[in-house]
């Protein structure tokens, strides 16, 4: 009876989530080459705009790559104040576009003068590149039902896209921002990443995603500039050819290096040529007065007699615990020594007298909004879809953006009578006693007085820096000029521009004591970093800005479309299997007889590819004598699987007939709460149920920071609190779970089924971290399981083996106390952080030495054991890992 109930429950859960996945309140527009799905009727105008943009740029992108992927689906999603987009080419050909453009520092890192246009160019380039197939590859995919896409393993996954986003206008694209392209490469010459290293994106390298995106794109652009775009397209064509020997008999085979066959040089020579070309750059930097190795400095401000820096600092522990140090650092303007460090991970920070204001993202369910904190009072003073803010003498102004109407509103928090509306997106703003300055998405600067009257507008498409700042009657800003980023200010009352320096490379600057202080790169250390440079102002008066960006904007034309039935479209797409993969395996028994297993994996997914339904018929055939053709059908089995992932929940389930094996697991983010600018609380609920210990085919991915709901026995219900915070300016993560777990689900709420799990991960500094783990059963507290350890980084050097496919770095020593399987002892292990095909592992070797029993009994004969292991953390003991229950 219990088994029947479980099967009915499993069927009901799958049916419910499948129905939810297909039914929505959205709509769909059918253009010539794309179906555009929008979240609700308010977004129909945006959907029309997106469809027109796509149809207008489509052929130009195809011409850059050399491949037409056919019809695609574009889905608009409002995730709140999150800027992103991604392409799913493996199953349905889908592009997801978020409705929120980039702002502040992110707007400088990802400069796109029109969000949808350049996001579509970027993502559709992915579609053209990654779906690139020759005719044989298309045939294999059709017959086997397994997409055969050679470019998924391309080293230029992001090289093509960043190159494309930078090819239509000098006002857009990462390659047109010298701070994150030519300047970044130049200052990385002493520690230039290998082409393999950049793909791993180590979490302890401050360059992070810059490695994978910007370095790749820089090399790709070098190939295009040196050998021509047609040669690069030929390279993509050559590397997209199907090369399976037994399927290409009779075809012309070549083992020549594709780089050499297309460009005439081997890869190593080409990469070296690119690096050597970077030495020709020249930057006129000032005096380095403050250096932060392996760090990003996001902002610099004048604060009385101090300089304030918003920074992010990385190191080995960034990789161990998954969090970097971030804070607002104050240094004096005489000896340039650190005066104080306030932990703060903010998108933007403003200092107003003794008060500090910080803008931070905050997630609740599937939406992210921004909260404006008055840090000194631990108080939220505004929240919502905020792009930027300004403050002067306690009067706070915010810029709010509506992704439906595409309008921004600027208003004062203390005066409801005044409001300024701008048709477009405001990336950044600042206020002074008399003025409000706005930096817009299309790189213009608008200056208002306190009555919201426009007093000046700087229409200049040359890409700007991350911020616009007001100092008295001066508007401080920077602009891109060739390979340089030059600081300027505009005198509002005099109507004149003033250039402050020549040949500089900076991301942000301020004027302090009539001198220029700015952020740029430093080349020192294993990775380099950011520093503060000081320079005399070289004032040059200009009546207008020089070298106006001559590039034209992308021409968007109107295209025909048909308003469709969104539900019918979804059902039709779902019923088309995305895989129909035939599989075969066999088992040889002790009597040499064989069991042949034939099965076909049918997979159905929704257009977002976040819901999957798998049907797998399985046929078992016995062959008693391997040398004869005597076959006997043993029976038919049916596997059913289901997976649904959302922003705040995940559920997976599977069932096998007729053995009645099953598994159900789910995780739900109940909510998140911000206690302070540096402390948040996430509440999670986990469910796991299996028919047997050996059956566990399902997996729900963690919703937050690699945290998965724990399970101990066959049936588990767990409730957890995850608390990331800072202690002594260092990142700390607390995780606490109440777990109900029993093999018999009817006894799930008995006292014997109640467990508690507590853990803390503490970054003591950039090289050393602490982990504490405790698990105990309410009815057996004496059997408490614990593990407390310190991981010390001894060596930070890197080594690449097997052609760069394996990367070793950050070797160190772990010392800990633990009682695996109830045996108390200490352990030490040597670990090496290892990247294998982008996957991070920690091979380790050590010794576990048993202590005298903690309850006063004499030590047993067994004293220790030498072990080796493989785990996902430098902290975890790898021997006798069974829990004491």
């Amino acid at each position: 009876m219990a088994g029947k109930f479980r099967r009915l429950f499993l069927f009901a859960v799958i049916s419910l989530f499948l129905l939810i996945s297909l039914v929505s309140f959205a709509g769909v527009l059918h253009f010539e080459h794309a179906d555009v799905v929008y979240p609700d009727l308010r977004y129909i105008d945006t959907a029309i705009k997106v469809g027109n943009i796509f149809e207008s740029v489509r052929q130009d992108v195809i011409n850059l790559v050399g491949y037409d992927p056919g019809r695609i689906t574009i889905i608009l999603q409002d995730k709140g104040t999150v800027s992103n987009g991604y392409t799913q080419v493996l199953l349905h050909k889908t592009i997801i576009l978020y409705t929120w453009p980039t702002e502040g520092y992110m707007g400088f890192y990802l400069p796109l003068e029109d969000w949808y246009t350049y996001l579509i160019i970027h993502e559709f380039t992915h579609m053209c590149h990654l779906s690139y197939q020759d005719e044989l590859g298309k045939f294999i995919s059709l017959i086997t039902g397994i997409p055969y896409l050679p470019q998924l393993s391309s080293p230029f996954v992001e090289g093509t896209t960043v190159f494309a986003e930078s090819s239509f206008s000098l006002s857009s694209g990462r390659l047109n921002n010298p701070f994150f392209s030519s300047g970044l490469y130049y200052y990385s010459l002493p520690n230039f990443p290998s082409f393999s290293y950049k793909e791993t994106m180590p979490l302890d390298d401050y360059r992070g995603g810059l490695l994978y995106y910007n370095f790749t794109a820089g090399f790709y652009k070098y190939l295009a500039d040196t050998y021509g775009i047609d040669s690069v397209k030929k390279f993509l064509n050559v590397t997209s050819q199907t090369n399976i020997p037994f399927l290409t008999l009779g075809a012309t085979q070549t083992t020549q290096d594709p780089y050499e066959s297309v460009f005439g040089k081997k890869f190593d020579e080409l990469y070296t040529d690119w690096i050597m070309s970077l030495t020709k750059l020249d930057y006129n930097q000032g005096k380095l007065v403050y250096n932060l190795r392996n760090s990003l400095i996001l902002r610099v401000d004048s604060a009385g007699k101090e300089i304030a820096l918003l920074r992010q600092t990385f190191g080995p522990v960034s990789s161990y615990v998954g969090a970097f140090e971030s804070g607002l650092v104050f240094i004096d303007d005489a000896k340039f020594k650190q005066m104080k460090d306030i932990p703060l991970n903010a998108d933007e920070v403003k200092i107003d007298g003794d008060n500090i204001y910080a803008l931070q993202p905050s997630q609740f369910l599937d939406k992210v909004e921004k909260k404006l904190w008055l840090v000194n009072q631990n108080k939220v003073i505004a929240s919502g879809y905020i792009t930027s803010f300004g403050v002067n003498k306690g009067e706070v102004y915010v810029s709010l953006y509506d992704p439906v109407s595409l309008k921004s509103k600027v208003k004062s928090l203390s005066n409801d009578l005044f409001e300024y509306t701008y048709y477009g997106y405001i990336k950044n703003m600042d206020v002074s006693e008399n003025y409000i300055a706005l930096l817009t998405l299309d790189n213009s600067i608008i200056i208002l007085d306190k009555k919201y009257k426009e007093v000046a507008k700087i229409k200049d498409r040359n890409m700007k820096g991350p911020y616009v700042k007001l100092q008295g009657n001066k508007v401080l800003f920077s602009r891109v000029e060739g390979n340089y980023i030059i600081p300027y200010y505009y005198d509002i009352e005099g109507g004149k521009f003033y250039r402050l320096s020549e040949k500089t490379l900076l991301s942000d600057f301020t004027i302090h004591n009539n001198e220029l202080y700015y952020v740029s790169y430093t080349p020192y250390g294993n990775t380099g970093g950011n520093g503060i440079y000081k320079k005399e102002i070289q004032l040059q008066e200009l009546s207008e800005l020089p070298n106006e960006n001559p590039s034209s904007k992308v021409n968007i034309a109107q295209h025909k479309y048909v308003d469709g039935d969104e539900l019918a479209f979804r059902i039709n797409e779902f019923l088309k299997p995305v895989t129909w993969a035939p599989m075969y395996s066999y088992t040889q028994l002790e009597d040499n007889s064989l069991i042949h297993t034939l099965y076909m994996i049918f997979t159905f997914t929704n257009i977002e590819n976040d819901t999957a339904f798998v049907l797998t018929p399985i046929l078992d055939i016995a062959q008693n004598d391997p040398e004869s053709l005597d076959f006997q059908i043993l029976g038919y089995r049916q596997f059913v699987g289901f997976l649904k992932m959302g922003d705040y929940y995940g559920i997976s389930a599977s069932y096998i007939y007729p053995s009645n094996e099953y598994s159900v697991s789910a995780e739900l983010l109940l909510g998140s709460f911000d206690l302070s600018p540096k402390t948040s609380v996430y509440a999670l609920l986990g469910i796991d149920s299996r028919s047997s210990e050996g059956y566990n085919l399902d997996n729900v991915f963690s919703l937050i920071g690699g945290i998965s709901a724990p399970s101990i026995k066959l049936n588990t219900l767990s409730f957890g609190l995850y608390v990331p915070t800072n202690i002594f300016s260092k990142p700390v993560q607390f995780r606490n779970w109440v777990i109900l777990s029993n093999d018999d689900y009817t006894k799930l709420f008995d006292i014997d089924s109640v467990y508690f799990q507590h853990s803390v991960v503490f970054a003591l500094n950039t090289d050393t971290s602490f982990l504490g783990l405790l698990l105990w059963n309410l009815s057996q507290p004496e059997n408490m399981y614990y593990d407390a350890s310190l991981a010390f980084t001894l060596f930070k050097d890197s080594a690449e083996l097997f052609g760069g496919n394996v990367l070793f770095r950050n070797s160190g020593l772990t010392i800990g106390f633990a009682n695996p399987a109830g045996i108390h002892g200490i352990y030490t292990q040597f670990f090496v952080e290892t990247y294998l095909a982008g996957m991070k592992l920690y091979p380790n070797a050590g010794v576990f030495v048993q202590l005298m029993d903690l309850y006063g009994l004499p030590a047993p004969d067994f004293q220790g054991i030498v072990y080796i292991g493989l785990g996902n953390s430098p902290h975890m003991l790898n021997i006798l890992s069974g829990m004491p229950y």
Side-chain angles (χ1 to χ4, degrees):
M1 187 67 181
K4 183 178 181 181
F5 171 78
R6 288 173 177 169
R7 292 195 297 273
L8 289 173
F9 174 75
L10 181 62
F11 178 77
V13 168
I14 291 177
S15 300
L16 175 62
F17 275 86
L18 193 57
L19 183 64
I20 292 173
S21 302
L22 294 177
V23 176
S24 70
F25 298 98
V28 61
L29 303 178
H30 302 297
F31 284 81
E32 182 180 359
H33 299 101
D35 304 296
V36 181
V37 179
Y38 52 93
D40 59 60
L41 287 175
R42 297 176 304 151
Y43 281 97
I44 188 168
D45 290 338
T46 304
I48 295 171
K49 176 180 179 178
V50 165
N52 286 327
I53 292 172
F54 171 75
E55 294 291 349
S56 298
V57 304
R58 178 182 181 276
Q59 191 58 49
D60 290 333
V61 173
I62 290 172
N63 293 341
L64 277 179
V65 178
Y67 185 77
D68 185 343
R71 190 172 191 83
I72 68 167
T73 300
I74 300 176
I75 301 175
L76 287 171
Q77 291 186 352
D78 181 355
K79 298 292 185 181
T81 60
V82 180
S83 304
N84 206 352
Y86 54 94
T87 299
Q88 298 171 331
V89 67
L90 194 60
L91 302 176
H92 294 292
K93 292 181 179 179
T94 300
I95 291 176
I96 307 290
L97 306 177
Y98 290 3
T99 59
W100 188 259
T102 56
E103 77 278 347
Y105 191 84
M106 277 302 298
F108 180 58
Y109 165 75
L110 185 62
L112 306 177
E113 62 183 324
D114 182 83
W115 174 243
Y116 286 119
T117 299
Y118 291 91
L119 184 60
I120 288 171
I121 289 171
H122 181 106
E123 298 304 336
F124 186 60
T125 303
H126 268 315
M127 189 69 72
C128 295
H129 175 219
L130 298 181
S131 65
Y132 207 138
Q133 291 178 300
D134 62 1
E135 294 303 318
L136 180 57
K138 294 177 182 178
F139 179 75
I140 293 172
S141 299
L142 177 65
I143 296 301
T144 65
I146 304 174
Y148 180 74
L149 303 175
Q151 292 295 344
L152 286 178
S153 58
S154 167
F156 292 110
V157 170
E158 295 297 346
T160 57
T161 58
V162 175
F163 175 80
E165 78 186 28
S166 309
S167 297
F168 290 80
S169 167
L170 293 177
S171 298
S172 294
R174 279 163 272 198
L175 290 177
N176 293 322
N177 181 348
F179 193 81
F180 291 117
S181 57
S182 56
L184 171 65
Y185 313 146
Y186 177 79
Y187 279 98
S188 294
L189 288 174
N191 41 58
F192 209 84
S194 73
F195 208 57
S196 298
Y197 175 89
K198 58 89 184 169
E199 293 195 41
T200 63
M201 292 187 292
L203 294 176
D204 66 308
D205 191 323
Y206 85 99
R207 294 171 294 186
L210 294 171
L211 295 167
Y212 188 58
Y213 284 76
N214 297 40
F215 277 88
T216 307
F219 181 49
Y220 191 90
K221 183 178 187 298
Y222 169 78
L223 294 176
D225 291 346
T226 306
Y227 298 94
I229 188 63
D230 288 337
S231 293
V232 174
K233 289 164 64 176
K234 182 180 178 182
F235 176 82
L236 295 179
N237 180 273
V238 169
T239 54
S240 298
Q241 300 302 307
T242 303
N243 189 17
I244 303 177
F246 69 89
L247 289 175
T248 53
L249 294 177
T252 301
Q253 295 293 310
T254 177
T255 57
Q256 188 178 10
D257 178 2
Y259 291 95
E260 189 173 16
S261 67
V262 175
F263 304 115
K265 291 184 178 182
K266 294 184 182 295
F267 168 79
D268 289 342
E269 296 178 70
L270 294 168
Y271 200 62
T272 302
D273 288 347
W274 176 49
I275 295 173
M276 294 304 296
S277 73
L278 301 172
T279 62
K280 301 173 184 178
L281 295 169
D282 177 32
Y283 293 106
N284 182 15
Q285 303 287 42
K287 178 183 178 182
L288 180 65
V289 297
Y290 191 75
N291 182 25
L292 279 174
R293 295 194 176 192
N294 202 13
S295 301
L296 284 172
I297 299 177
L298 309 183
R299 187 180 175 101
V300 58
D301 286 292
S302 174
K305 295 183 178 181
E306 297 173 327
I307 306 294
L309 318 173
L310 182 62
R311 57 94 185 186
Q312 296 176 348
T313 300
F314 297 74
V317 169
S318 304
S319 186
Y320 304 164
V321 306
F324 51 80
E325 290 185 20
S326 59
L328 188 62
V329 178
F330 291 84
I331 59 175
D332 66 63
D333 61 2
K335 297 182 179 179
F336 301 105
K337 299 295 184 181
Q338 179 176 313
M339 304 300 292
K340 55 185 173 180
D341 185 0
I342 300 173
L344 206 57
N345 187 13
D347 291 347
E348 188 175 357
V349 169
K350 299 283 176 67
I351 301 167
D352 183 46
D354 294 330
N355 290 325
I356 298 172
Y357 297 81
L359 190 65
Q360 293 181 324
S362 177
Q363 180 182 355
F364 185 78
L365 299 180
D366 64 340
K367 288 289 194 298
V368 176
E369 66 175 16
K370 296 288 179 66
K371 289 185 177 179
L372 180 56
W373 290 85
L374 177 52
V375 177
N376 310 63
Q377 300 180 18
N378 196 36
K379 177 182 177 182
V380 177
I381 60 173
S383 63
Y385 281 21
I386 302 173
T387 67
S388 186
F389 73 99
V391 57
N392 179 260
K393 296 181 179 179
E395 187 174 10
V396 180
Y397 294 77
V398 295
S399 169
L400 298 159
Y401 179 66
D402 179 7
V404 177
S405 66
L406 307 180
K407 294 180 181 179
S408 297
K409 290 185 178 180
V410 178
K411 65 178 185 179
S412 168
L413 297 184
S414 57
N415 191 340
D416 295 333
L417 297 179
F418 297 102
E419 188 175 279
Y420 172 77
T421 300
Y422 170 72
Y423 187 81
Y425 185 82
I426 296 172
K427 291 196 294 185
N428 193 249
M429 67 177 293
D430 198 19
V431 299
S432 65
E433 189 169 355
N434 299 315
Y435 300 105
I436 302 170
L438 310 174
L439 176 61
T440 64
L441 186 64
D442 64 356
N443 300 314
S444 296
I445 296 176
I446 301 171
I447 304 166
L448 312 171
D449 61 21
K450 286 299 184 69
K451 295 182 179 180
Y452 296 104
K453 178 183 177 182
E454 187 175 302
V455 297
K457 185 172 185 178
I458 303 171
K459 293 183 177 181
D460 171 37
R461 289 187 61 208
N462 279 55
M463 192 186 304
K464 303 296 185 295
Y467 312 110
V468 60
K469 300 179 181 180
L470 282 165
Q471 288 188 352
N473 296 326
K474 300 182 181 71
V475 180
L476 277 60
F477 65 96
S478 57
R479 69 198 294 265
V480 173
E481 297 179 4
N483 286 319
Y484 307 100
I485 301 183
I486 308 298
Y488 284 84
Y489 75 72
Y490 175 73
D491 186 332
I492 300 173
E493 296 182 353
K496 298 283 188 178
F497 294 97
Y498 294 86
R499 181 186 293 194
L500 307 182
S501 185
E502 300 283 346
K503 286 190 173 182
T504 53
L505 178 78
L506 56 84
S507 62
D508 188 33
F509 77 97
T510 189
I511 297 175
H512 181 78
N513 293 337
N514 293 317
E515 291 184 295
L516 184 68
Y517 288 81
Y518 64 93
V519 180
S520 193
Y521 293 108
T522 60
Y524 316 115
N526 291 337
T527 61
N530 282 183
I532 301 298
Y533 290 83
K534 176 183 176 182
K535 198 174 188 181
E536 289 186 6
I537 294 176
Q538 302 167 319
L539 208 60
Q540 179 184 357
E541 182 181 310
L542 304 167
S543 58
E544 61 182 19
L545 293 174
N547 302 322
E548 174 91 13
N549 189 338
S551 60
S552 59
K553 294 185 178 180
V554 177
N555 181 33
I556 306 301
Q558 300 300 308
H559 294 263
K560 294 181 180 180
Y561 65 89
V562 175
D563 196 352
D565 185 332
E566 186 249 353
L567 179 59
F569 172 72
R570 284 181 172 275
I571 293 176
N572 181 61
E573 293 298 308
F574 187 86
L575 292 179
K576 298 176 183 177
V578 292
T579 70
W580 49 94
M583 298 289 177
Y584 165 77
S585 65
Y586 72 91
T587 303
Q588 186 169 11
L589 304 181
E590 293 182 358
D591 61 357
N592 288 331
S593 63
L594 298 175
I595 303 296
H596 301 273
T597 302
L598 306 175
Y599 49 103
M600 181 83 75
I601 303 175
F602 293 97
T603 306
F604 304 85
T605 71
N606 63 344
I607 53 177
E608 289 85 357
N609 294 314
D610 60 11
T611 301
F613 186 66
V614 181
L615 291 175
T616 306
I618 306 169
L619 187 63
D620 295 312
I621 303 174
Q623 186 179 10
N624 295 325
D625 184 358
E627 297 182 359
S628 72
L629 298 178
D630 181 19
F631 296 100
Q632 179 183 358
I633 297 178
L634 294 180
Y636 170 83
R637 292 178 288 156
Q638 177 67 57
F639 171 85
V640 180
F642 177 79
L643 173 66
K644 172 68 178 176
M645 286 299 301
D647 294 298
Y648 61 96
Y649 68 90
I651 181 170
S652 61
S654 66
Y655 174 73
I656 296 180
Y657 171 85
S659 62
N660 291 331
E661 294 283 338
Y662 71 91
S663 176
V664 180
S665 60
E667 191 169 311
L668 174 66
L669 176 62
L670 299 175
S672 59
F673 312 93
D674 300 310
L675 302 181
S676 74
K678 64 178 182 179
T679 304
S680 299
V681 179
Y682 299 86
L684 299 106
L685 179 69
I687 300 171
D688 187 74
S689 180
R690 290 167 285 151
S691 57
S692 62
E693 186 174 346
Y695 183 82
N696 190 15
L697 296 181
D698 301 306
N699 179 36
V700 172
F701 299 100
S702 58
L703 299 178
I704 303 174
I707 302 171
S708 296
S711 61
I712 300 173
K713 298 188 177 181
L714 294 183
N715 301 288
T716 301
L717 179 65
S718 53
F719 173 77
L721 293 177
Y722 168 58
V723 184
T725 185
N726 281 270
I727 297 179
F728 304 121
S729 300
K730 306 299 180 183
V732 182
Q733 302 168 18
F734 293 98
R735 306 172 188 179
N736 293 279
W737 290 91
V738 179
I739 308 165
L740 305 177
S741 191
N742 200 299
D743 289 336
D744 184 350
Y745 76 93
T746 64
K747 298 180 180 179
L748 206 57
F749 294 92
D750 291 356
I751 190 171
D752 293 341
S753 302
V754 182
Y755 297 82
F756 297 92
Q757 186 183 92
H758 319 277
S759 68
V760 58
V761 180
F762 200 152
L764 298 177
N765 53 48
T766 57
D767 296 334
T768 308
S769 57
F770 169 80
L771 176 139
L773 177 64
L774 204 64
L775 174 66
W776 54 285
N777 178 248
L778 188 59
S779 64
Q780 304 175 57
E782 69 278 4
N783 288 337
M784 185 177 295
Y785 171 80
Y786 62 85
D787 186 357
S789 59
L790 287 166
F792 301 92
T793 308
L794 301 180
F795 306 102
K796 300 179 184 179
D797 294 335
S798 298
E800 297 181 36
L801 302 179
F802 306 107
N805 292 318
V806 177
L807 170 66
F808 290 142
R809 60 191 288 106
N810 295 334
S811 52
L813 190 69
T814 299
I815 298 175
F817 293 84
N819 65 331
I823 303 173
H824 305 287
I826 62 172
Y827 67 91
T828 182
Q829 64 187 24
F830 181 81
F831 64 85
V832 180
E833 185 176 335
T834 304
Y835 290 83
L836 177 63
M839 180 172 58
K840 185 177 64 177
L841 302 169
Y842 288 91
N844 47 36
V847 60
F848 178 87
V849 179
Q850 186 174 337
L851 296 176
M852 292 184 63
D853 192 281
L854 296 185
Y855 300 101
L857 299 176
D861 295 334
F862 171 77
Q863 293 296 320
I865 186 172
V866 176
Y867 64 90
I868 59 175
L870 182 68
N872 61 359
S873 168
H875 288 280
M876 304 305 262
L877 180 64
N878 285 288
I879 62 162
L880 306 174
S881 57
M883 298 298 182
Y885 302 108

